[in-house]
Amino acid sequence: MSENTITLTPPLGGRGAHVCLTPALLPLFNVEDYIVVVIDIFRATSSICYGIENGAEAIIPVSQVEECAAYREKGLDYLLAAERDGSVVDGFDFGNSPFSYTKEKVAGKTIVLTTTNGTHALHLSRSAKKIVIGSFLNLSALSNWLNTQNENVLLVCAGWKNNFNLEDTLFAGAVIEQLKDKGFLLDDAALAANDLFQVGKNDINAYLKKTSHGERLKKLGIEKDIEFCLQVDLTTAIPVLEGERLVKLVV
């Protein structure tokens, strides 16, 4: 980082609730000052929340396909999940469709997961005080827990290959909606995300039909994944990173 780079720190005198609109902006934040919420609505964090809710023992996020494949050599009974550009990588058990994370498939299992955007954002956030996973599926449980923490919150939108995307930002705005009257001090990105949520909140599914990643998924014939990921409060589990593993947060 250049000595002239300005890093963003939480405000004095209160908890901050900030939004990082793309992982490319993470170097501007002092990540170690925050609880980080990683957001990748289509589909990684939605699937992680659903898998942990359905009894997965742990999900191990890795950055590269090669790292995921290396677990096969360890002789452990792990499920290997790899997605790139919306498709399952050849030779792996599944990708990041939420329909692969049912109780029948994942209960009691450890899953090693790599995705195009979500696991990338998570690894860039490793210096945070704590990392938790957010999706519409666990929106209220997550927001309620964040409000009980005497910590600053940074909502990290995974975006698409380091670019801004609509669905992650709208979800960040949904979390801000539940925190904004709880004494949190918001940055401009949080205000903008919440304004976006006000526009789309009455019919989130219809509003997000225009998203570029949604269009990519439609071309792959998996519109049902999109609809599933936009269900609100289907789960209560909050995945938290402990060491190298995402597990169910004990609250």
Side-chain angles (χ1 to χ4, degrees), residues 5-230:
T5 299
I6 298 173
T7 55
L8 303 179
T9 58
L12 296 174
R15 294 180 294 177
H18 297 166
V19 173
C20 179
L21 295 169
T22 156
L25 295 174
L26 265 174
L28 299 178
F29 292 86
N30 289 324
V31 175
E32 62 273 13
D33 293 331
Y34 295 91
I35 290 175
V36 162
V37 180
V38 174
I39 305 162
D40 185 6
I41 297 302
F42 296 153
R43 295 164 288 170
T45 61
S46 300
S47 295
I48 289 169
C49 290
Y50 194 50
I52 294 296
E53 177 79 14
N54 282 331
E57 181 177 319
I59 297 175
I60 302 173
V62 298
S63 295
Q64 304 299 324
V65 171
E66 293 76 14
E67 290 178 81
C68 190
Y71 275 83
R72 185 173 285 119
E73 309 304 320
K74 298 183 179 183
L76 301 169
D77 186 26
Y78 288 174
L79 296 171
L80 303 184
E83 170 271 338
R84 285 297 181 270
D85 297 332
S87 298
V88 179
V89 179
D90 288 343
F92 289 82
D93 295 309
F94 47 85
N96 67 346
S97 168
F99 295 107
S100 297
Y101 291 76
T102 61
K103 286 183 180 179
E104 293 76 15
K105 292 181 179 180
V106 305
K109 296 287 189 177
T110 294
I111 302 148
V112 185
L113 172 67
T114 182
T115 72
T116 306
N117 304 296
T119 54
H120 171 67
L122 191 152
H123 278 273
L124 291 178
S125 304
R126 298 292 295 231
S127 62
K129 289 184 176 181
K130 191 183 292 289
I131 296 176
V132 294
I133 302 300
S135 70
F136 283 106
L137 303 185
N138 71 345
L139 172 61
S140 291
L142 172 68
S143 300
N144 291 337
W145 177 79
L146 290 171
N147 187 48
T148 67
Q149 306 304 298
N150 189 30
E151 300 287 354
N152 305 290
V153 174
L154 180 61
L155 302 161
V156 176
C157 302
W160 174 256
K161 297 185 177 180
N162 277 331
N163 286 301
F164 171 93
N165 77 16
L166 201 57
E167 64 271 16
D168 295 349
T169 306
L170 189 136
F171 174 77
V175 176
I176 295 298
E177 179 72 9
Q178 298 202 29
L179 299 183
K180 66 183 184 181
D181 295 327
K182 308 294 186 181
F184 285 89
L185 302 174
L186 310 181
D187 66 354
D188 284 2
L191 293 169
N194 187 242
D195 284 352
L196 187 67
F197 176 70
Q198 302 306 323
V199 175
K201 67 180 180 180
N202 290 331
D203 193 339
I204 292 171
N205 201 330
Y207 185 73
L208 291 179
K209 284 185 182 299
K210 66 183 80 174
T211 65
S212 57
H213 194 37
E215 289 299 320
R216 293 184 199 98
L217 296 180
K218 288 175 189 175
K219 288 178 181 178
L220 294 171
I222 44 181
E223 293 93 335
K224 288 186 178 180
D225 281 22
I226 299 172
E227 294 177 9
F228 187 93
C229 292
L230 297 181

